[in-house]
Amino acid sequence: MATIQQDRDALERLIDKSSNIVFFGGAGVSTESGIPDFRSKDGLYHQKYLYDPEIILSHAFFEKYPAEFYRFYRDKMLVLDKKPNPCHYYLAELEKKGKLKAIVTQNIDGLHQMAGSKNVLELHGSIHRNHCLSCYHFFDAGFVKNAPDIVPHCPYCGGIIKPDVVLYGEQIDDRSVVFTAKALLDADLLIICGTSLQVYPAATLLKLYNKKDIVYINSDPKSTYDRASLVIHHKAGVLFGGMKA
Ligand code: NAD
């Protein structure tokens, strides 16, 4: 098995020769910021809840049991005190250098933007955008967090406020899909990081990338991606923390 420095060197060689890089990330990018993912051993699937996160975070559940949804969402997803880690900061620098053209993320935590990244395509939405389901008034995450009732209501019309996160059973918005498709078609290096690639259609979109260089980074030594030309089994923050963009 390669040492972490050998992996960094191999990754740097690929980054050096590329000019149009796309980073495709998942929950594993934010675990070192203290936000649990879904599927690794400390992830949300392995914690005790009455229902699986996939059930709670579904459109049907939100409609039927908004208070139960918000109890979980406030506790586990509406995290406003977390900070970016070295992976987020490295990517922001790589974008400033003009090499990284897009971050496609399945995360909803907004940490890439907090680190300074600009072109972030949020396939599953963001906790930082919320709308009243009746009058479509916008609310930030702080408003939802501080709402007096467990289910936040619109102060203008009394409607229920829903986070702009794509729940299971909901469509990813067309704009993110189109921009992601374009970024992948134009890219000459694809870095996939911290995702189990089990959530569709996000994972399917990767098939649009048709060049040869694909880096797959996952801390789970059993996890792999058959199209990858370089597989790295280290924590993303530790890996990128030892690199300079
Ligand atoms: P997942 O939980 O299915 O998979 C995470 C993967 O990351 C696992 O394979 C794990 O081995 C790996 N991983 C964990 N820590 C890592 C690290 N430090 N470095 C590298 N790899 C690491 O997550 P997913 O594929 O993104 O799909 C889950 C869905 O849940 C997504 O839709 C996402 O929106 C949502 N989610 C988001 C957040 C967030 O916004 N931070 C957190 C939990 C879940």
Side-chain angles (χ1 to χ4, degrees), residues 25-32 35-40 44 77 106-109 124 168 193-199 216-220 223 234-237:
V29 170
S30 292
T31 52
E32 288 159 274
I35 304 175
D37 62 10
F38 276 2
R39 292 179 183 80
S40 53
L44 293 173
M77 314 301 286
Q106 299 166 86
N107 293 347
I108 55 173
D109 54 35
H124 295 165
Y168 292 98
C193 181
T195 172
S196 61
L197 293 178
Q198 285 183 39
V199 178
Y216 180 79
I217 303 165
N218 196 302
S219 55
D220 176 358
S223 163
H234 291 289
K235 289 186 172 182

Side-chain angles (χ1 to χ4, degrees), residues 95 100-104 113 116-122 179 183:
E95 184 186 60
L100 181 70
K101 301 299 182 191
I103 292 173
V104 182
Q113 291 91 333
S117 289
K118 301 284 180 239
N119 195 21
V120 183
L121 300 169
E122 295 174 309
F179 281 111

Side-chain angles (χ1 to χ4, degrees), residues 139-200:
F139 298 94
D140 65 16
F143 181 90
V144 172
K145 181 109 190 158
N146 298 320
D149 302 325
I150 184 104
V151 179
H153 283 86
C154 175
Y156 304 100
C157 76
I160 289 183
I161 296 171
K162 180 183 173 292
D164 285 3
V165 299
V166 181
L167 301 178
Y168 292 98
E170 291 179 345
Q171 293 272 350
I172 294 181
D173 89 282
D174 290 348
R175 197 176 158 274
S176 324
V177 175
V178 170
F179 281 111
T180 298
K182 176 156 180 14
L184 288 167
L185 287 167
D186 291 347
D188 60 5
L189 174 62
L190 171 63
I191 301 174
I192 304 169
C193 181
T195 172
S196 61
L197 293 178
Q198 285 183 39
V199 178
Y200 288 84

Side-chain angles (χ1 to χ4, degrees), residues 62 66-74 150-152 161-163:
F62 177 84
E68 271 310 302
F69 169 88
Y70 265 110
R71 229 183 296 283
F72 178 88
Y73 176 80
R74 284 176 179 285
I150 184 104
V151 179
I161 296 171
K162 180 183 173 292

Side-chain angles (χ1 to χ4, degrees), residues 15-171:
I15 290 173
D16 284 349
K17 71 168 188 158
S18 308
S19 57
N20 192 327
I21 303 170
V22 169
F23 180 93
F24 186 99
V29 170
S30 292
T31 52
E32 288 159 274
S33 294
I35 304 175
D37 62 10
F38 276 2
R39 292 179 183 80
S40 53
K41 76 174 179 353
D42 303 319
L44 293 173
Y45 279 1
H46 300 270
Q47 299 179 12
K48 287 197 182 76
Y49 283 96
L50 237 39
Y51 302 92
D52 277 346
E54 245 172 26
I55 293 179
I56 301 175
L57 296 173
S58 69
H59 183 79
F61 194 90
F62 177 84
E63 297 252 284
K64 210 165 172 193
Y65 308 111
E68 271 310 302
F69 169 88
Y70 265 110
R71 229 183 296 283
F72 178 88
Y73 176 80
R74 284 176 179 285
D75 193 24
K76 295 293 170 194
M77 314 301 286
L78 189 55
V79 281
L80 301 183
D81 58 339
K82 304 298 184 196
K83 299 279 176 285
N85 66 53
C87 174
H88 297 104
Y89 286 117
Y90 176 91
L91 296 172
E93 282 306 306
L94 201 62
E95 184 186 60
K96 274 193 206 125
K97 293 256 154 76
K99 281 190 164 267
L100 181 70
K101 301 299 182 191
I103 292 173
V104 182
T105 183
Q106 299 166 86
N107 293 347
I108 55 173
D109 54 35
L111 291 186
H112 286 296
Q113 291 91 333
M114 202 188 283
S117 289
K118 301 284 180 239
N119 195 21
V120 183
L121 300 169
E122 295 174 309
L123 285 178
H124 295 165
S126 172
I127 59 170
H128 296 282
R129 295 186 297 274
N130 304 270
H131 285 92
C132 169
L133 288 176
S134 301
C135 70
Y136 214 63
H137 200 98
F138 172 89
F139 298 94
D140 65 16
F143 181 90
V144 172
K145 181 109 190 158
N146 298 320
D149 302 325
I150 184 104
V151 179
H153 283 86
C154 175
Y156 304 100
C157 76
I160 289 183
I161 296 171
K162 180 183 173 292
D164 285 3
V165 299
V166 181
L167 301 178
Y168 292 98
E170 291 179 345
Q171 293 272 350

